[in-house]
Amino acid sequence: MTIRNPFGLLSGAAVIVAAVGAFALGAEPTKAQVAAKVESQTRPNFGVLLDPPTRRSYAPRRDRNRYDYRRHRPDWGGPGYPPHRPGGEEIVLVDCGGNPGTGAVEDAVRRVRPGGTLVIRARAGACVGWLNIDKPITIIGEGGFDPRDWARAEPTLQAPDGLPCMTVAQGVRVEIRDMVFASPRAGDAACIVGYGAEIVMNRVGFRHAGDEAAIYADGGLLDIRNTVIDARTIAPAVVADGATLNMWEAVVSGSQSGIEITPTAGPPSRLSTTTILGTNAPNAFGPRSIGVIVRAGRDYGRVEIDNTAVCGFVEGVVVEGASVSIEGSRVCRSDKGVVLYSGELRLADSRVRATTVGVAAAAGNAVVVNNVFAGMREVIYREPRANVQASGNRVWSQHVCRPQFRDRYRGRYEPYWRPGDGWECARGAYPRDWWGQEDGMLGVEYYDDGYALDGWDDYQNGDGWYDRDGRYIQDDRYRGEDRWSRGGGGFWGR
């Protein structure tokens, strides 16, 4: 029989009490650290919370094996599915007729020899299937696709519910032309997925609805031209994670965020002549609404954006630890136009429309030259760790372009505008044609951001002056310079 020692029980209890006490003492600094971290992240800066979005804020990092094609086609790779060998068919034409579950399009992929061509005909409805590409091929839609006639475009290939439209294996190059992909019930699957592959698309359309991106590339090359991407998702419509992304003459719309790029040290990614349209509504939950976000990767990469419009997002362009050049582009209908959390930014010859701030820099180096800013309360905001070089910028804003008045002659005041740090206020109304290329694309009626000073035209013609409160005083007796030297004596600067 075992006899318990009461002193042993007491000693054991003492050890437990000591451990709990030590845990409690160690928890206090932890609570203090958490409180300090929360305070630092929520402290406002001129109404701009320069708190960068956390990495993968909308979804966990993708697993390379998350899409199991064998479950979709159990015979894939087995005796009934022999390995691909040269000597297959050079050109394969498949007419699926919209019959789901037949596996016709998957079998057609198997029949194409490496380097061959798969032609998909969808006269009786879209082919339904999952294209698992493990060899270099070209995929062409027989019906063709015109991005200018997007409203009437019919799907060529539709993904099974909860599955991708296409996956491309490591090191494989696939070229896609004249196709319309549809994934109306994608769930957590992307429509196009590539892992270290080269995916080249020209005249392609996407209709995607789900929780993931419409196009996701983990490494490799993603080349998109003459393409329309309608992605109804809270994730970015296009994700290039360590991949080189080239977009030209593309339209991206419908998603809460537009494009996410994590560049590599290789060739720069480039967005050219592209339009990225957001939902034009602030998000009350979920990840931030960002037009283009360039994230920091293991290597310091570069992204070039030119002749591109980014409209309808809370934050237009966000840079985190990379080098980004924006030239000849438009950022519009945003709360914060361009935000630099770290890295390098060059913004030149572009137009930025925002309600809070045009360019906000938390850290890094920014060069802001020869741009047009409109609507914001703060043109350029910088924190101590940021270096901003600005020059030649013009501003239309009723908030920052209100004039001041100085006594020119015995109670007769003249207006003047103090130049900003690298910018100056423009005179006159904001051009309507510029508006049409910016907020007008979202159907917003014209609004003049220029500050209209009462009686300014007459004052410019040499008539009248202003009082100390900025009210225009009409007087035709003294015109031009006489209004500053006659009617009471005295000289300017008395």
Side-chain angles (χ1 to χ4, degrees):
M1 183 176 74
T2 303
I3 300 176
R4 298 188 177 182
N5 187 349
F7 294 100
L9 295 176
L10 291 175
S11 61
V15 171
I16 296 174
V17 171
V20 172
F23 176 80
L25 291 175
E28 290 302 324
T30 303
K31 291 181 180 179
Q33 294 174 5
V34 172
K37 182 178 180 181
V38 171
E39 192 275 334
S40 66
Q41 292 179 343
T42 58
R43 183 176 64 251
N45 296 318
F46 287 92
V48 184
L49 296 179
L50 290 180
D51 176 26
T54 57
R55 184 170 180 82
R56 308 290 171 246
S57 58
Y58 59 88
R61 187 174 178 86
R62 282 82 173 171
D63 181 6
R64 290 177 176 269
N65 299 317
R66 65 177 301 188
Y67 303 112
D68 188 356
Y69 187 72
R70 191 178 298 277
R71 294 182 181 179
H72 177 64
R73 290 296 304 273
D75 62 339
W76 181 71
Y81 203 107
H84 304 289
R85 295 185 300 271
E89 300 180 44
E90 180 69 29
I91 300 177
V92 175
L93 171 64
V94 58
D95 190 346
C96 304
N99 296 322
T102 61
V105 68
E106 291 93 336
D107 292 337
V109 172
R110 182 183 63 180
R111 290 159 47 196
V112 179
R113 67 178 298 272
T117 301
L118 172 64
V119 180
I120 300 179
R121 177 185 295 168
R123 293 181 179 177
C127 292
V128 179
W130 173 0
L131 304 183
N132 188 49
I133 311 299
D134 55 1
K135 55 186 172 180
I137 65 172
T138 299
I139 301 174
I140 302 175
E142 188 198 48
F145 172 66
D146 185 356
R148 296 169 297 182
D149 197 17
W150 169 244
R152 295 193 299 175
E154 295 294 332
T156 310
L157 178 73
Q158 179 173 318
D161 293 353
L163 295 177
C165 307
M166 177 187 300
T167 50
V168 186
Q170 176 84 23
V172 173
R173 177 183 175 89
V174 58
E175 297 185 18
I176 308 168
R177 297 198 302 269
D178 296 313
M179 289 282 295
V180 178
F181 293 94
S183 46
R185 292 171 292 276
D188 62 352
C191 183
I192 302 290
V193 182
Y195 295 112
E198 293 187 10
I199 304 175
V200 180
M201 292 181 280
N202 191 6
R203 298 190 304 275
V204 178
F206 290 88
R207 289 195 176 101
H208 175 76
D211 300 327
E212 263 290 1
I215 304 173
Y216 173 72
D218 186 353
L221 169 67
L222 184 59
D223 193 281
I224 302 173
R225 300 169 183 268
N226 300 296
T227 295
V228 179
I229 303 172
D230 183 7
R232 307 293 171 171
T233 174
I234 62 173
V238 179
V239 175
D241 191 353
T244 299
L245 172 64
N246 294 322
M247 294 189 73
W248 184 81
E249 285 284 2
V251 177
V252 180
S253 64
S255 59
Q256 183 168 298
S257 294
I259 297 175
E260 177 184 315
I261 306 173
T262 305
T264 64
S269 295
R270 186 175 183 184
L271 308 181
S272 180
T273 321
T274 293
T275 301
I276 306 170
L277 301 177
T279 57
N280 193 27
N283 53 311
F285 65 93
R288 293 183 180 180
S289 173
I290 302 175
V292 177
I293 179 169
V294 182
R295 295 189 180 275
R298 186 174 292 106
D299 299 317
Y300 191 77
R302 178 174 175 80
V303 176
E304 299 175 354
I305 302 174
D306 66 272
N307 195 25
T308 291
V310 182
C311 294
F313 298 93
V314 175
E315 298 179 8
V317 179
V318 171
V319 182
E320 300 177 6
S323 175
V324 176
S325 171
I326 306 173
E327 295 191 7
S329 297
R330 306 182 302 279
V331 178
C332 46
R333 202 65 180 174
S334 61
D335 182 61
K336 295 178 279 292
V338 182
V339 183
L340 174 67
Y341 290 109
S342 61
E344 297 175 294
L345 167 68
R346 175 177 173 80
L347 178 66
D349 302 310
S350 299
R351 301 200 299 266
V352 178
R353 295 187 56 82
T355 57
T356 301
V357 63
V359 174
N365 298 313
V367 176
V368 183
V369 293
N370 302 328
N371 301 287
V372 169
F373 293 93
M376 63 281 300
R377 295 181 177 88
E378 184 81 7
V379 180
I380 299 175
Y381 167 75
R382 75 192 74 185
E383 291 192 351
R385 295 183 300 161
N387 177 33
V388 179
Q389 303 175 30
S391 64
N393 301 290
R394 293 181 295 162
V395 178
W396 275 265
S397 173
Q398 298 187 13
H399 301 282
V400 300
C401 286
R402 291 180 177 271
Q404 295 179 312
F405 297 88
R406 58 190 173 197
D407 192 352
R408 180 77 179 267
Y409 170 74
R410 288 194 174 186
R412 300 176 184 179
Y413 287 77
E414 68 172 354
Y416 72 99
W417 286 262
R418 289 183 177 178
D421 187 6
W423 56 268
E424 62 179 14
C425 290
R427 306 290 187 266
Y430 190 76
R432 286 182 176 268
D433 56 340
W434 289 1
W435 177 277
Q437 299 171 355
E438 299 162 357
D439 292 26
M441 291 192 302
L442 299 174
V444 181
E445 294 184 2
Y446 172 77
Y447 176 79
D448 184 13
D449 287 303
Y451 184 81
L453 187 60
D454 183 35
W456 175 250
D457 291 339
D458 292 337
Y459 176 84
Q460 287 286 87
N461 292 330
D463 296 336
W465 55 81
Y466 292 88
D467 65 11
R468 63 182 303 172
D469 296 323
R471 291 186 292 263
Y472 177 67
I473 307 300
Q474 179 73 38
D475 193 327
D476 298 332
R477 293 175 300 169
Y478 309 108
R479 298 175 56 83
E481 292 301 316
D482 289 345
R483 55 185 165 174
W484 310 125
S485 59
R486 300 181 62 183
F491 297 92
W492 175 49
R494 52 179 291 276

